[in-house]
Every structure is written in structure tokens, then in C-alpha cells.
Amino acid sequence: MAIRIHDLQPAPGAKKAKTRVGRGEGSKGKTAGRGTKGTKARKTVPAGFEGGQQPLQIRLPKLKGFKPHNKLVYTVVNLDRLAELFPEGGQVGPDELIEVGVLNKKELIKVLGSGELEGVKLDVKAHAFSASAVNKIAAAGGSTTVVDKKTGEALGA
């Protein structure tokens, strides 16, 4: 005789009835596994609840770090890069650097003193200079001019 689909059933003891708590003294009744008294015996408590104390997820900062919204971000240009881009020397300012493709229109420039200006005399206009850059440009016979960050007008050396 073949086994039919309606003859199939789970093995004895494989299916266990769900415990119906809180349904009388005979079957996990009365406190229903919650113990006696207190908030947890009477109702469910949210996962992060700390008894009225400020919860951990609210005490911790929401975002990482601090970002000032008026921070000045400079595009850095080193002296060796200027010497490479302008080997014949001359005037170097924001407009010339935009033409060469070193920076975009509204970016601020800071000239740093990495590298050497070997025989290249540059008259550099930028928004900021490092002290070593000013010394190296002056030693090569050039000049430095600080440009105003908003208007673009020369402020002086």
C-alpha cells in the first residue's frame, strides 16, 4: 500500500503546543513569567528606556565631528608647480591659474614653499602665502601680493 499525502503527519513530539501565558493558574498563569509588580510586570517597556534618565542614543552626538560653515578652504599650489607651469616667469595670479586649469573660478589659492624656483622670477598674487614661499619667491627676485578673498583686489605684500 502506497503512502498518500493525507496520511503524512509530523513525528510524535515534534510539534509542541504554544504556551498560553496568563490564562489561569494551571498553565503559567497569574504573573505569566513577569515576576511581581513594577513597570515590566504591567506593560512593555521601549528597548532604549532607562527609567527616565536621558537614554544613551540621545546622549551621544548625532553627527560625527564639527563642521564650521564659514571655514575658508584653500586650493594649495606649491612653488615647484608654479615653476613648472610658468618656466619663463612673469605675472602669476588667480586669472592665470584658472587659464592653465589649476583651479576653478571661485576657489581661493594658498602658495606653499615646497620645491625651488631655479632662476624663475615670479610676481605672484594669491589669497594666502606660507612664510617659506614668501622667502623663496623674494630670494628668486620675485614679489608676492595678497589678494582680497571677496573682491579680488590687491591688499599689498
Side-chain angles (χ1 to χ4, degrees), residues 59-80:
R59 281 192 308 243
L60 294 175
K62 185 175 181 182
L63 300 173
K64 197 173 181 184
F66 170 75
K67 293 199 170 64
H69 42 263
N70 55 357
K71 181 182 177 184
L72 293 176
V73 179
Y74 290 99
T75 301
V76 173
V77 181
N78 285 307
L79 289 180
D80 53 358

Side-chain angles (χ1 to χ4, degrees), residues 35-156:
T36 53
K37 296 186 182 176
T39 308
K40 291 178 188 169
R42 296 187 170 102
K43 62 171 187 165
T44 55
V45 181
F49 187 67
E50 295 185 20
Q53 174 178 305
Q54 189 79 305
L56 181 68
Q57 71 269 20
I58 295 174
R59 281 192 308 243
L60 294 175
K62 185 175 181 182
L63 300 173
K64 197 173 181 184
F66 170 75
K67 293 199 170 64
H69 42 263
N70 55 357
K71 181 182 177 184
L72 293 176
V73 179
Y74 290 99
T75 301
V76 173
V77 181
N78 285 307
L79 289 180
D80 53 358
R81 182 90 167 112
L82 289 178
E84 181 186 311
L85 292 169
F86 303 97
E88 68 287 338
Q91 291 278 1
V92 178
D95 297 331
E96 289 81 11
L97 290 170
I98 289 168
E99 283 176 27
V100 177
V102 173
L103 69 142
N104 294 326
K105 243 184 182 175
K106 292 191 177 180
E107 290 181 330
L108 302 176
I109 315 158
K110 182 168 185 175
V111 179
L112 300 182
S114 176
E116 295 296 325
L117 293 173
E118 289 136 14
V120 180
K121 182 185 170 196
L122 294 173
D123 297 320
V124 185
K125 289 183 179 178
H127 300 105
F129 293 92
S130 70
S132 62
V134 171
N135 293 338
K136 287 181 182 180
I137 292 169
S143 65
T144 57
T145 308
V146 178
V147 178
D148 186 47
K149 290 164 185 63
K150 291 185 180 176
T151 61
E153 296 175 16
L155 297 175

